[in-house]
Amino acid sequence: MLFLVNGLALQAQLKTAQLSGRIIDQDDKPIPAVTITVLGKKQAVQSNDSGYFQLTVPANRAFALVFSHAGFSTLQRNFLLNAGENEFVPIRMLPGKTELEEVTVTDERSRRESGLVTINPKQAINIPSPGGGIESLIKVFVGSNNELTSNYNVRGGSYDENLIYINDFEIFRPYLVRNGQQEGLSFINPEMTRSVQFYNGGFQARYGDKLSSVLDIQYKKPKEHGGSAYIGLLEQGLQLEGSGKKKPFTYLIGVRNRNNRNLLSSQETKGNYVPSSADLQGLFTWKFSEKWSAEFFGNLSRTRFELEPAFSQPSTSVFSPFFTSNIGLDIYFEGREKDRYSTSMAGLSVTKQVTKNLRLKWLASWFENKEAESIDITGAYLFGERSFDRSRPDFGLIVNPLGAGVFQQYARNQLRISVLNLSHKGTLTRGKHFHQWGISVDRQQVWDRLREFEYQDSAGYSLPYQPGNLSLFKSLRSDANLDIHRVAAYWQDNISLGDSSGTILQLGARINYNDLNKEWLVSPRAGISWKPSRWEKDIIFRASAGIYMQPAFYRELRRYDGSLNTEVKAQKSWQVSGGFDYHFPAFNQVLRLSTEAYFKSLWDVVPYDIDNVRLRYFGENNARAYATGLEARLYGELVKDAESYLSIGFMRTREDIKDDFYYKYTLNEQNQPIDSTLTQNGYLRRPTDRLLTIGMFFQDYLSTNKNIKVYINGLYGSNLPYNIPNSVRYRNALFIDPYIRIDLGFSALLLNSDKSRRRRHAPFREFENIWLSLEVFNLIDRANTISYLLIKDFSNTTYAIPNRLTPRLLNVKLVGRW
């Protein structure tokens, strides 16, 4: 036993080495109390009064030591020592800027409020994702099934159930967009963003009337002149900021341009893509006195999408107990799609700090959205069994045709939406109470003109087949002109029932009325958080309950046939949630675990189907639904100053549509019905029902160089139901395969913030830093499915051909800040 113990001790000793040294300044004087850390680790040692230090380091592995001290420039030295080696090194540190000792301020608000996820906006420029931006960070927590859109679904709800605010102004988005590829830039400019608070449920009464989530964005208020610029294969941007001499005036301006040509040209439909989007945003603030200040926010956005498709050759495999086949579809196109989307917004707010505890704010905003879609595309198709034998001359061709036909898609759609809003908000602190209230009035005008039809000809017969008649497969002709007035108000109180580490209670309610259907809505909401003061563990328990209602707007009013139902009521729900937030030590650091379970019961639901990213509502309050699930998120720094997080969610959401029954017929030998059975569907999966979602954002850097970093963005989502349009019997008939995607990014610092070593006339002398990034989208090259194209063969059998998303793609980006 002694021999074994000595052998293990000797083996452990051989895996380490000893490094010692003496730290001196430029005059060869020793520097005491210098902090020495291994790069990426949190443990540190200090030099003694004579400047000496000694520490045990890993052997046979490159590592870096970082030497830091107030009044001296931080120094990094790289080493590689053999096992058992003992090396002495002299370290000379040069005078530098005087830096204050780092102080960490902990805000427990994100831990105490139900459903609140605080996101670091600085990661938006780093996360490798085709869309980029704040929404890509959100998708790590809520999941995704389409990298071409900024849309996200929260706890079983649709994207229309999400609220977005920028500096207290509510933000809207385009409505006619039918494919993720037509989308342009996200409204949110990440380079202008100061803070991001995302509520995935249980949000307070001070936020508006939606069912699922709130994204609360605050833009920067600059304290000095600066800016940033970036250029990449997909997107380019410039951001400028500054303030006056005495800082009564600040400005923040951002310009962006995006072109998805490289991204879309890799899709299955080949052709001439001309997608482009640009926007201009500005935030200007004035401080007239200690009590009065004003803020103006403006946005201009233009998106253009043109497509002249040439051909598409998707394929799928069919497996059944009877046969296995590789089904292919060859489509050759003529025609063009031309879309235009423009958004304009202007908002002005005035704030008065009456006293230290009383704050009043008045807001006025105007939003206008103009959209136009023009589609005239004809296609001829042939589908059947495709040959995948590379040794044969017919490789890639359809060798056993099952069907052929011609189709035509036509659309001339126009939409104009304008929203004028006037509102007031206030806060008052009195003892242990923090009161918040608000009232708003808005006018929403909608002018809509839809002209769509689709013609399908299969084997010489128009579908649906009617002898002697030429029938359209689908036709939509509708006009709408709406003028809606809404009034809303809220009040809430945050009550501290103990000291800062005790119990906090939130009570509030909202009132909403609109003159479209003359419906009054009252939504009480409550939340509570409790931190046990006598527990040694740093844990906070929290819970929330409330009524959430969503008044119908443009999408919910329109039926499948294009007609409007102005009697649609608000969708309603009651929701409860509970969980805890726990800080615990692990892996020589402090990790954070946040969990939450929830249940949502919904009534007066307006069902919908998802066609890519376009929502097609039934236009009737004819369903009940529920959603229940459990979420867990783990935050931490696997290496110092590089935060990573992992999110796991389980969810089930079902809906029961009224009168969704159908008959099953029994046929005789002559194929004539002789009996029937009535079948009720009952509760079925909603279009967003996904049992398991996993999201991960990981970042790291080299052990010897913090300026070379790697980022990994991973998403997994289990299968989704796909509904056959206008079919009761075949609702939930198809499934979209699990969504799996890994995006990888590398970045290198080309220019650091140390300006002392730059030449006087260097072209980039005033830059703080310059980064170069290489991104690999869809690293595993998985062909994820977003929807299906339904094709019938000669025997009237329907085949589902999947529409795929983007394959593997490279992107290069250069970012500079000054």
Side-chain angles (χ1 to χ4, degrees):
M1 291 179 62
L2 289 175
F3 177 79
L4 180 61
V5 170
N6 289 333
L8 292 175
L10 179 61
Q11 185 179 6
Q13 181 180 0
L14 292 177
K15 291 182 179 179
T16 61
Q18 297 294 320
L19 181 64
S20 58
R22 186 168 185 254
I23 306 174
I24 57 177
D25 61 14
Q26 59 183 356
D27 298 324
D28 294 336
K29 294 181 180 179
I31 307 176
V34 175
T35 301
I36 305 112
T37 59
V38 179
L39 184 64
K41 305 296 182 181
K42 292 190 175 182
Q43 295 83 358
V45 298
Q46 286 191 336
S47 59
N48 60 18
D49 293 340
S50 301
Y52 288 98
F53 70 94
Q54 182 176 1
L55 69 164
T56 301
V57 295
N60 302 320
R61 190 177 66 184
F63 66 95
L65 293 184
V66 179
F67 302 85
S68 57
H69 190 281
F72 293 88
S73 297
T74 300
L75 179 66
Q76 176 180 320
R77 293 285 299 273
N78 299 333
F79 299 93
L80 177 60
L81 302 182
N82 297 322
E85 185 176 352
N86 192 341
E87 182 171 344
F88 181 89
V89 293
I91 303 296
R92 187 185 301 275
M93 298 185 68
L94 300 177
K97 295 181 179 180
T98 302
E99 298 181 0
L100 297 177
E101 183 178 355
E102 182 179 296
V103 177
T104 302
V105 180
T106 303
D107 181 12
E108 290 194 340
R109 178 186 172 189
S110 62
R111 303 182 62 195
R112 288 186 173 274
E113 294 190 22
S114 294
L116 175 57
V117 180
T118 301
I119 298 174
N120 183 1
K122 294 181 180 180
Q123 305 298 354
I125 197 69
N126 298 326
I127 186 169
S129 173
I134 302 298
E135 290 86 353
S136 295
L137 293 170
I138 293 176
K139 290 179 180 180
V140 176
F141 299 106
V142 302
S144 172
N145 70 319
N146 190 347
E147 65 271 10
L148 291 176
T149 178
S150 59
N151 291 7
Y152 51 88
N153 302 312
V154 180
R155 294 183 176 179
S158 72
Y159 184 78
D160 289 340
E161 298 175 14
N162 303 325
L163 282 163
I164 299 178
Y165 293 93
I166 293 182
N167 284 38
D168 292 337
F169 297 108
E170 185 175 355
I171 305 302
F172 299 87
R173 64 183 297 277
Y175 286 85
L176 286 179
V177 173
R178 61 182 66 218
N179 257 311
Q181 62 187 20
Q182 279 95 335
E183 281 195 41
L185 287 160
S186 162
F187 194 98
I188 305 166
N189 189 329
E191 285 294 290
M192 300 172 64
T193 302
R194 173 173 58 88
S195 66
V196 180
Q197 294 177 339
F198 175 66
Y199 294 83
N200 58 2
F203 48 91
Q204 304 172 17
R206 63 192 178 96
Y207 292 111
D209 298 283
K210 290 293 181 77
L211 295 176
S212 291
S213 75
V214 174
L215 179 58
D216 191 350
I217 302 289
Q218 292 293 321
Y219 275 2
K220 302 175 184 176
K221 293 184 178 179
K223 297 181 179 179
E224 58 184 5
H225 294 282
S228 64
Y230 61 93
I231 182 172
L233 298 180
L234 298 179
E235 188 175 326
Q236 306 81 40
L238 172 66
Q239 178 255 329
L240 301 173
E241 60 185 61
S243 63
K245 294 182 179 180
K246 297 183 180 180
K247 300 181 181 179
F249 170 76
T250 68
Y251 65 89
L252 182 64
I253 301 174
V255 181
R256 294 179 298 169
N257 178 73
R258 184 175 179 86
N259 190 315
N260 286 339
R261 183 190 294 268
N262 292 334
L263 190 64
L264 299 179
S265 61
S266 61
Q267 291 196 274
E268 289 181 331
T269 300
K270 305 302 180 182
N272 182 26
Y273 287 88
V274 186
S276 64
S277 181
D279 76 342
L280 170 64
Q281 293 188 21
L283 179 66
F284 306 90
T285 64
W286 296 267
K287 189 172 183 179
F288 304 111
S289 65
E290 292 297 324
K291 292 185 176 182
W292 287 94
S293 62
E295 183 176 276
F296 174 81
F297 174 70
N299 172 76
L300 292 174
S301 176
R302 300 291 183 269
T303 298
R304 180 170 65 102
F305 178 83
E306 294 185 11
L307 169 62
E308 294 182 4
F311 67 90
S312 179
Q313 295 179 319
S315 299
T316 187
S317 296
V318 177
F319 301 97
S320 75
F322 306 102
F323 74 100
T324 299
S325 179
N326 293 313
I327 301 298
L329 174 67
D330 291 348
I331 309 176
Y332 296 90
F333 300 97
E334 285 186 359
R336 185 176 67 168
E337 175 180 354
K338 186 176 181 180
D339 305 327
R340 297 288 187 272
Y341 309 102
S342 65
T343 300
S344 305
M345 180 181 174
L348 176 65
S349 66
V350 178
T351 304
K352 181 179 182 180
Q353 192 72 41
V354 182
T355 65
K356 180 181 178 180
N357 298 326
L358 177 60
R359 184 172 180 265
L360 304 177
K361 188 174 185 178
W362 297 267
L363 303 97
S365 64
W366 171 79
F367 168 86
E368 185 177 61
N369 185 41
K370 295 181 180 180
E371 307 179 28
E373 292 182 336
S374 176
I375 302 173
D376 197 345
I377 295 177
T378 301
Y381 67 87
L382 173 70
F383 82 99
E385 187 173 352
R386 192 185 298 280
S387 172
F388 286 99
D389 187 352
R390 293 182 178 273
S391 63
R392 296 177 58 87
D394 58 4
F395 169 74
L397 301 179
I398 293 178
V399 295
N400 183 21
L402 296 174
V406 177
F407 67 89
Q408 181 181 5
Q409 295 176 340
Y410 175 92
R412 295 293 187 273
N413 300 330
Q414 293 183 3
L415 172 68
R416 289 200 304 267
I417 297 179
S418 63
V419 181
L420 176 63
N421 176 271
L422 301 174
S423 60
H424 162 70
K425 297 182 178 181
T427 62
L428 174 64
T429 303
R430 296 189 63 180
K432 296 183 178 181
H433 296 263
F434 179 61
H435 299 277
Q436 295 174 275
W437 66 88
I439 184 171
S440 66
V441 179
D442 64 51
R443 180 185 183 185
Q444 301 172 352
Q445 293 179 300
V446 179
W447 180 86
D448 182 28
R449 182 177 181 270
L450 294 182
R451 301 290 188 270
E452 291 184 16
F453 74 78
E454 182 176 342
Y455 170 74
Q456 290 191 7
D457 179 288
S458 179
Y461 296 96
S462 62
L463 300 177
Y465 175 64
Q466 295 180 359
N469 292 327
L470 178 64
S471 302
L472 294 176
F473 183 78
K474 182 176 64 176
S475 178
L476 179 62
R477 183 183 181 90
S478 174
D479 294 278
N481 195 349
L482 300 176
D483 195 348
I484 308 171
H485 297 82
R486 301 180 187 270
V487 179
Y490 71 87
W491 167 88
Q492 76 175 45
D493 186 13
N494 292 13
I495 309 170
S496 179
L497 302 180
D499 56 20
S500 60
S501 62
T503 303
I504 295 180
L505 178 64
Q506 298 170 352
L507 298 173
R510 290 190 64 86
I511 299 177
N512 186 288
Y513 172 80
N514 72 87
D515 63 359
L516 181 66
N517 54 21
K518 310 297 189 297
E519 188 177 21
W520 283 94
L521 304 174
V522 180
S523 305
R525 302 172 189 177
I528 188 171
S529 65
W530 172 56
K531 184 175 184 179
S533 58
R534 296 184 180 181
W535 289 22
E536 293 183 0
K537 296 182 178 180
D538 185 3
I539 188 170
I540 295 177
F541 296 95
R542 59 195 185 192
S544 69
I547 303 293
Y548 295 83
M549 303 183 183
Q550 179 170 318
F553 194 46
Y554 167 72
R555 288 188 201 257
E556 293 95 321
L557 302 179
R558 186 170 295 284
R559 299 184 180 97
Y560 255 93
D561 61 2
S563 61
L564 284 181
N565 180 10
T566 58
E567 300 299 321
V568 173
K569 299 179 181 179
Q571 300 184 83
K572 306 172 182 68
S573 72
W574 60 264
Q575 305 179 17
V576 293
S577 64
F580 64 86
D581 192 282
Y582 179 35
H583 284 190
F584 63 96
F587 307 107
N588 298 320
Q589 60 175 305
V590 176
L591 300 181
R592 177 189 172 194
L593 175 65
S594 180
T595 67
E596 194 161 283
Y598 60 90
F599 180 81
K600 299 162 61 174
S601 177
L602 302 97
W603 67 97
D604 285 341
V605 173
V606 182
Y608 61 89
D609 292 325
I610 300 179
D611 180 13
N612 280 337
V613 299
R614 193 181 193 186
L615 300 184
R616 302 296 300 273
Y617 284 93
F618 285 29
E620 304 286 348
N621 298 105
N622 60 343
R624 295 183 61 90
Y626 71 86
T628 183
L630 175 66
E631 299 171 344
R633 300 181 181 88
L634 184 65
Y635 308 79
E637 295 181 357
L638 299 183
V639 294
K640 186 180 180 182
D641 300 328
E643 183 183 21
S644 303
Y645 31 85
L646 174 68
S647 178
I648 301 177
F650 300 90
M651 184 194 67
R652 269 292 176 239
T653 178
R654 299 284 194 270
E655 65 183 0
D656 183 9
I657 301 176
K658 184 179 179 181
D659 297 330
D660 60 338
F661 61 86
Y662 61 93
Y663 289 93
K664 288 184 177 179
Y665 294 96
T666 302
L667 305 179
N668 59 16
E669 295 179 354
Q670 287 76 33
N671 206 31
Q672 296 177 342
I674 58 176
D675 195 7
S676 63
T677 303
L678 177 66
T679 303
Q680 295 279 0
N681 275 333
Y683 277 94
L684 296 176
R685 297 177 66 182
R686 302 192 78 190
T688 55
D689 179 61
R690 175 163 270 164
L691 177 61
L692 175 63
T693 57
I694 301 175
M696 178 193 69
F697 176 65
F698 170 79
Q699 54 179 328
D700 196 1
Y701 47 80
L702 293 182
S703 60
T704 57
N705 193 342
K706 194 174 181 179
N707 298 328
I708 299 179
K709 299 184 177 183
V710 61
Y711 308 92
I712 301 176
N713 177 34
L715 291 171
Y716 170 82
S718 56
N719 67 46
L720 285 169
Y722 186 81
N723 300 322
I724 307 300
N726 292 318
S727 174
V728 175
R729 181 171 183 174
Y730 296 107
R731 192 166 182 85
N732 283 187
L734 297 175
F735 298 95
I736 295 178
D737 290 334
Y739 182 86
I740 305 174
R741 185 178 180 90
I742 298 177
D743 299 318
L744 182 65
F746 302 92
S747 64
L749 182 64
L750 303 183
L751 184 69
N752 60 25
S753 58
D754 186 4
K755 300 181 181 180
S756 61
R757 300 182 181 181
R758 302 179 193 172
R759 295 181 180 179
R760 180 176 301 177
H761 301 291
F764 303 106
R765 177 174 175 78
E766 299 303 322
F767 277 72
E768 288 293 329
N769 55 67
I770 298 178
W771 289 86
L772 177 64
S773 298
L774 172 66
E775 298 173 325
V776 184
F777 300 143
N778 197 359
L779 179 68
I780 60 176
D781 200 24
R782 177 178 172 84
N784 289 300
T785 300
I786 184 59
S787 63
Y788 288 102
L789 180 64
L790 304 180
I791 299 293
K792 291 185 178 182
D793 65 6
F794 298 119
S795 64
N796 209 33
T797 301
T798 301
Y799 292 83
I801 307 297
N803 293 317
R804 307 291 190 181
L805 289 166
T806 57
R808 185 188 298 120
L809 186 71
L810 295 179
N811 184 42
V812 179
K813 184 166 53 180
L814 185 67
V815 182
R817 294 183 175 89
W818 60 89

